[in-house]
Amino acid sequence: MAETEGVRRRDFINIAAVSAAGVAGIGIVVPLVSQMSASADVLAASSTEIDISAIQPGQAIKAVFRKQPVFVRNLTPHEIEAANKVDVASLRDPQTLEERTKEGKENWLITMGVCTHLGCVPLGAGEGEVKGEFGGYFCPCHGSAYDTAARIRKGPAPKNLEVPKYEFSSDTVVKIG
Ligand code: FES
């Protein structure tokens, strides 16, 4: 009996020690979380202006928006045609090129450069990079292939590359965010 009580007492001491550690842990976590949410607010307010005047048809650039890569691509007429030829109903994430671009500016494809599988940066925006079998972007991590509208066509990624909120400030400047 005395033995059992001893065990119980030790258990209680252990539990008390764990609880104290738990409380201390919460004390540390809270300030970190509030710092994180403060910077999230700052991030939410930020936007990025990009000069697109030097991007020729068939070229793309990588920019940074809220610490993540963004691809700005000037599609050729051939790439636009290829995107428009696809049967949208057959797509995993059905969207037309028109829905993914601004009216009258279908050649400007602006997407996040973040694979929708596990977040790698796909290839295809840099000069000489492989674009994959659908001519858009190719994620080297697990082989997701995107087409010329940056729609997912093959591989494990579930969604098209995300189109961020953006607007044309002028014919040559795009404001993202
Ligand atoms: S992260 Fe792109 S295919 Fe897995």
Side-chain angles (χ1 to χ4, degrees):
M1 189 63 180
E3 169 92 355
T4 314
E5 274 174 13
V7 169
R8 280 196 189 140
R9 183 147 195 278
R10 271 205 301 281
D11 283 351
F12 173 76
I13 290 165
N14 282 343
I15 290 164
V18 168
S19 305
V23 170
I26 289 168
I28 293 163
V29 168
V30 170
L32 265 180
V33 168
S34 54
Q35 270 175 20
M36 281 164 68
S37 58
S39 62
D41 289 349
V42 171
L43 285 175
S46 66
S47 58
T48 302
E49 293 223 315
I50 301 170
D51 180 356
I52 58 170
S53 59
I55 310 171
Q56 300 302 313
Q59 289 183 335
I61 61 158
K62 295 178 204 176
V64 177
F65 170 56
R66 294 180 190 167
K67 297 187 180 167
Q68 293 195 305
V70 175
F71 297 157
V72 179
R73 183 159 173 166
N74 189 352
L75 298 172
T76 63
H78 180 74
E79 287 170 328
I80 293 172
E81 195 188 321
N84 288 336
K85 262 206 298 218
V86 176
D87 174 11
V88 175
S90 72
L91 294 171
R92 190 178 300 171
D93 183 8
Q95 270 189 323
T96 61
L97 176 65
E98 199 183 345
E99 287 167 334
R100 293 174 57 71
T101 52
K102 299 283 187 210
E103 199 180 341
K105 299 204 182 277
E106 263 194 0
N107 59 312
W108 290 108
L109 179 67
I110 300 176
T111 62
M112 300 307 294
V114 179
C115 181
T116 60
H117 180 220
L118 294 175
C120 289
V121 179
L123 299 171
E127 201 172 343
E129 287 182 359
V130 292
K131 295 184 164 83
E133 68 181 281
F134 297 93
Y137 298 106
F138 176 72
C139 183
C141 289
H142 314 96
S144 286
Y146 297 86
D147 67 12
T148 56
R151 296 173 298 199
I152 183 64
R153 299 292 297 278
K154 194 174 179 182
K159 293 275 188 191
N160 303 333
L161 292 188
E162 182 192 345
V163 176
K165 183 172 166 279
Y166 70 89
E167 61 190 32
F168 284 87
S169 313
S170 71
D171 275 351
T172 56
V173 177
V174 170
K175 184 174 156 215
I176 301 180

